[in-house]
Amino acid sequence: MKTLVTGSRALVVALVLCSACTTTKSPVTQIVVVVDSDLKVPAELDTLTIQVTGAVNMPMASADLTQHALPRSLGLVHSGGPLGPITVTVTGMLGSTAVVKRVAEVWFVDGQSLELRMPLSRACTGAKRMCSGSMTCDSGTCVPSKIDNLPPFAGHVLPFGTGADAGADAAGGGGSGSDAGADGAVHMRDTGVVVADGAVTPADTGTPPVNAAPVCTIAAPADNSSFTSGTSISFRGTCNDPETGAVTTGLSWKSDQDGQLSTNANFTRSNLSAATHKITFCARDPVQSTLLGCTSITLTVSAQPPIGATINSVQQSASSAQPFSTTAGAITAQGSGTGATPLTLGWKDSITGSLGTGASVMLASPPAVGTHVLTLTVTDAQARTARATSTFSVLAPGQTQLIAPYSNVNSTLAGNGSAAVPLVAAFGSSVYAADTLQHIYRFDASTLSAFATLAVDHPPLPDLVQALAFDATNSFAYIATKTGFLVCPFSSSTGIIDAANCTTYSGTSGNNSLPDKDTTSIVRMQAAGMGMGGPTPYLLIGTRKGVFATTTLAGSSTGVRRLSGVDINGLAASSLTHLAWAATAADGIYSFDPANAGSSQHFTMNDSLPSNSVRAIAVNEAGDTVWIATDAGIARYTPSTGTFTTWTTSSAPAPGLASNDVRDIKVARTTINATTRDVIWIATAAGISRFDPSVPSFTTFTTADGLPSDSVRSITIAAGVKVFGTDSGVAMYTGP
């Protein structure tokens, strides 16, 4: 049952959909709408909707044709107020698509039951049903929708004909056509009702009331509300059945844009599409499941403004010219963002850390020396974020930037610097670079000038150089190659290695011989020793089958083996702890005392290493921190706590490592803003990463900054200058 009261005088319409309907006993003032079609049910039509407007507006009624076929009838019962006009709109649906529509403008006649035939013709589907103004489609022709006289309702419903008589004559009120079938024989119960103070009671006609559809109300949101995309929208509704009371099951909310929304009376949604939505709330009748009571509202969802972040300017003393200087004043940055307001703008510097929030920020003066990555993060009211970055360099007075394209260094290399340089080493301010052509070169890190190739007057070295170390006291240079270990005369005053008079050790037999001729690494250190005279100097030689430890620094084969059978990639040592550290190719890391065969400790992925394939290892000056380079990122080991901390490309703080494929790692003791701390330099397959763990922050150097190649093999530090061996030559960096 649906009843509506409008104005001071009520026009009351009772509505019921059935297969066929009849009236009995006392006449009532009513119009019986009869609907039939030559379209197939349910293949071409599966639902009818009927809307009554005009002197009264009724909620939309609907009928499910999959349960009961056509013809169907709708009783409109008048109980007071104006007799018209009313407009009846019948729409045939397939799913959510309107297939065909018919409109009629009619009047009640007091005390009479009239019949309004509304044929839905195939000829009125698609574009053919588009009639304008006060016209409606009948059998493919637009005719007036106004019907002056309706015929009496005969008390039963006949199907429409399927030929020329399939549509009613709108102008004449709709004749029944030829009798194309037997009487439907399904009779309508009497629909007469009256309204008293809003209550629905049976009319005094001696006939039973009609089973009416539930009446639904949408409490929230309000009709014609507007929202912004992403906003949480609260939906609340109630449905009551005139016969049984509150309806709490068989509920449904639908959007004509997004489809089914919920089957609960109350819910929230924050992901409605940006569009104008017709929201329909329905309930199934508890007695007659095919009968729906529905109501609808319209709401609009507007698209969110796009989220964005822009760094508009980075300036020092009103100038954007770079590089900036430590002596030219404060560095300021201005930014802006877009998104759902209010916006929060947060700033962070890769060297100095958080800078606060706002449209503009200022770096501490004097600014820290180095390459800064300034990051602006914009967060909007919907918790969306966007980032923008700006990179700039700050130099000390007279400081040189990352050298590019290193022509003053690479011009003296074989092949004009095109050869890969897998090794760089340092002695004082001299830098030594070994390339894949088996030559060693010397550079002056203080002047960035190159000296002659050490093998210009001699044949190349026996094989690829893998490590280089110096003993100024005994005037030796130690060279590890793939086919042996070389001890060469060396001048600490000139820095020249006498490559013509080297002694090669490659023997692997006997307890005092090298574990393997493929030597990979060299380190000099002080160990506990066997006597009472204090620490003993050791020379450690890493090989593919363990470590050779000798106290005869001239390079004699006299010594002891440690970590036998272990494939060594690199060695490091602390002069304070007298411990050596070994990086292995597939077995993690070891710490050991070369004078004590049983002193080693072993750490693997089970102890939180990123990988058991360790490429390099470094110990800081204090000997209390060990840095580990692996093929899956870097790690820091703190002996005092026995703990590992790891970093990868995806680790905080952003941007993380340049690559998880790490080849070398070095620790530089650096003073920034009068504070001295360790800064870690990392060679990767995608450039150089500079990591300041005290901030913490990562800075990346690539070919865009002047590196000859992003594939970096090795790092050394000479007189404060960082030197990188790459696949396309040597690079030097003088920043902190």
Side-chain angles (χ1 to χ4, degrees):
M1 180 78 68
K2 296 182 186 289
T3 62
L4 291 92
V5 179
T6 59
S8 58
R9 300 182 62 197
L11 170 60
V12 182
V13 179
L15 174 157
V16 64
L17 282 166
C18 55
S19 298
C21 301
T22 62
T23 59
T24 61
K25 298 186 179 180
S26 300
V28 293
T29 302
Q30 70 172 344
I31 296 173
V32 178
V33 182
V34 182
V35 183
D36 204 348
S37 178
D38 58 348
L39 292 164
K40 295 179 181 180
V41 175
E44 295 176 302
L45 290 181
D46 60 9
T47 307
L48 291 179
T49 65
I50 300 181
Q51 183 75 48
V52 179
T53 59
V56 63
N57 291 309
M58 289 175 45
M60 181 181 293
S62 64
D64 185 351
L65 300 182
T66 62
Q67 302 296 320
H68 300 285
L70 295 171
R72 304 295 290 272
S73 63
L74 174 75
L76 306 177
V77 181
H78 180 269
S79 298
L83 295 173
I86 64 171
T87 299
V88 181
T89 303
V90 179
T91 305
M93 310 286 292
L94 181 62
S96 61
T97 302
V99 177
V100 61
K101 183 170 74 172
R102 180 80 181 232
V103 182
E105 181 180 295
V106 295
W107 284 257
F108 290 93
V109 176
D110 191 31
Q112 295 186 29
S113 291
L114 305 178
E115 179 176 345
L116 171 61
R117 309 206 92 195
M118 299 285 278
L120 302 179
S121 172
R122 185 186 301 276
C124 293
T125 59
K128 297 175 286 187
R129 72 173 186 271
M130 304 300 294
C131 294
S132 61
S134 60
M135 308 294 282
T136 191
C137 181
D138 179 47
S139 300
T141 302
C142 289
V143 299
S145 60
K146 181 178 179 181
I147 303 174
D148 294 322
N149 298 296
L150 293 176
F153 177 56
H156 57 269
V157 176
L158 292 176
F160 299 168
T162 57
D165 201 23
D169 181 359
S176 63
S178 61
D179 191 352
D183 191 303
V186 179
H187 298 283
M188 183 181 75
R189 292 177 291 172
D190 191 273
T191 58
V193 296
V194 296
V195 172
D197 298 327
V200 180
T201 59
D204 187 17
T205 61
T207 59
V210 175
N211 177 54
V215 177
C216 294
T217 301
I218 297 176
D223 193 19
N224 296 316
S225 297
S226 295
F227 302 91
T228 303
S229 179
T231 302
S232 182
I233 305 173
S234 176
F235 292 84
R236 292 184 289 111
T238 57
C239 294
N240 283 279
D241 182 66
E243 292 81 25
T244 63
V247 180
T248 58
T249 61
L251 305 176
S252 67
W253 294 79
K254 290 183 178 180
S255 161
D256 64 343
Q257 300 295 323
D258 294 346
Q260 182 79 29
L261 299 180
S262 180
T263 57
N264 299 319
N266 304 324
F267 68 100
T268 59
R269 285 285 291 266
S270 59
N271 61 345
L272 290 184
S273 58
T276 297
H277 296 252
K278 181 179 180 181
I279 304 296
T280 303
F281 177 43
C282 297
R284 290 193 177 276
D285 188 273
V287 176
Q288 186 180 351
S289 63
T290 59
L291 187 61
L292 292 176
C294 299
T295 187
S296 62
I297 60 169
T298 298
L299 62 84
T300 301
V301 178
S302 302
Q304 290 276 16
I307 184 72
T310 304
I311 296 178
N312 300 312
S313 66
V314 179
Q315 295 182 322
Q316 185 174 38
S317 301
S319 172
S320 58
Q322 292 191 36
F324 298 141
S325 170
T326 57
T327 59
I331 295 175
T332 59
Q334 292 186 334
S336 58
T338 58
T341 56
L343 303 176
T344 300
L345 280 65
W347 298 83
K348 186 176 182 180
D349 179 64
S350 61
I351 293 180
T352 58
S354 176
L355 301 175
T357 60
S360 63
V361 291
M362 179 182 296
L363 275 71
S365 185
V369 173
T371 299
H372 296 245
V373 179
L374 186 64
T375 301
L376 168 64
T377 301
V378 174
T379 305
D380 74 353
Q382 298 298 325
R384 298 180 299 167
T385 61
R387 290 179 174 83
T389 61
S390 178
T391 301
F392 59 90
S393 296
V394 176
L395 305 181
Q399 180 185 345
T400 304
Q401 270 189 296
L402 184 66
I403 304 165
Y406 312 100
S407 57
N408 61 328
V409 172
N410 283 350
S411 61
T412 59
L413 299 180
N416 197 28
S418 61
V421 180
L423 169 71
V424 284
F427 177 76
S429 64
S430 293
V431 177
Y432 297 83
D435 67 13
T436 50
L437 301 178
Q438 299 166 228
H439 294 285
I440 297 178
Y441 307 83
R442 183 168 71 90
F443 310 91
D444 189 327
S446 61
T447 63
L448 307 179
S449 59
F451 295 92
T453 303
L454 299 185
V456 165
D457 299 323
H458 310 285
L461 293 165
D463 209 328
L464 184 66
V465 177
Q466 301 188 120
L468 183 62
F470 300 92
D471 177 5
T473 302
N474 297 290
S475 300
F476 291 123
Y478 305 113
I479 305 172
T481 77
K482 291 186 69 65
T483 55
F485 180 75
L486 281 66
V487 179
C488 305
F490 168 71
S491 172
S492 59
S493 60
T494 64
I496 299 298
I497 300 172
D498 184 1
N501 295 297
C502 297
T503 301
T504 301
Y505 298 89
S506 58
T508 59
S509 62
N511 292 331
N512 291 329
S513 301
L514 292 173
D516 190 70
K517 65 180 180 181
D518 188 348
T519 52
T520 61
S521 47
I522 312 166
V523 69
R524 292 183 60 221
M525 66 170 295
Q526 299 288 325
M530 301 299 292
M532 302 297 293
T536 301
Y538 270 86
L539 178 67
L540 304 183
I541 305 165
T543 78
R544 292 300 173 197
K545 294 181 181 179
V547 176
F548 188 75
T550 177
T551 58
T552 307
L553 301 184
S556 167
S557 60
T558 301
V560 294
R561 297 184 181 188
R562 296 287 183 257
L563 308 181
S564 295
V566 178
D567 189 347
I568 305 297
N569 270 343
L571 294 170
S574 167
S575 60
L576 296 179
T577 63
H578 311 307
L579 281 179
W581 293 84
T584 76
D587 202 28
I589 65 172
Y590 289 86
S591 70
F592 63 97
D593 181 346
N596 185 350
S599 65
S600 65
Q601 284 186 292
H602 184 205
F603 304 96
T604 66
M605 292 176 66
N606 293 332
D607 303 293
S608 299
L609 272 178
S611 169
N612 287 339
S613 178
V614 183
R615 269 68 177 283
I617 194 163
V619 182
N620 70 341
E621 185 178 293
D624 58 7
T625 306
V626 181
W627 292 91
I628 303 121
T630 80
D631 63 357
I634 67 169
R636 178 183 63 196
Y637 176 65
T638 306
S640 62
T641 60
T643 57
F644 285 90
T645 307
T646 63
W647 291 270
T648 65
T649 55
S650 59
S651 295
L657 280 172
S659 168
N660 289 335
D661 184 356
V662 181
R663 283 84 174 272
D664 199 4
I665 191 164
K666 291 293 188 294
V667 182
R669 195 68 177 159
T670 303
T671 299
I672 300 175
N673 290 341
T675 301
T676 301
R677 57 184 184 259
D678 287 341
V679 172
I680 315 306
W681 291 87
I682 305 150
T684 81
I688 288 287
S689 285
R690 175 193 182 278
F691 179 45
D692 188 338
S694 64
V695 175
S697 69
F698 282 95
T699 303
T700 298
F701 295 102
T702 66
T703 52
D705 303 293
L707 276 176
S709 169
D710 285 341
S711 179
V712 185
R713 303 298 187 94
S714 58
I715 303 173
T716 194
I717 301 172
V721 176
K722 272 62 72 176
V723 185
F724 314 129
T726 80
D727 278 358
S728 297
V730 179
M732 294 187 184
Y733 176 66
T734 58

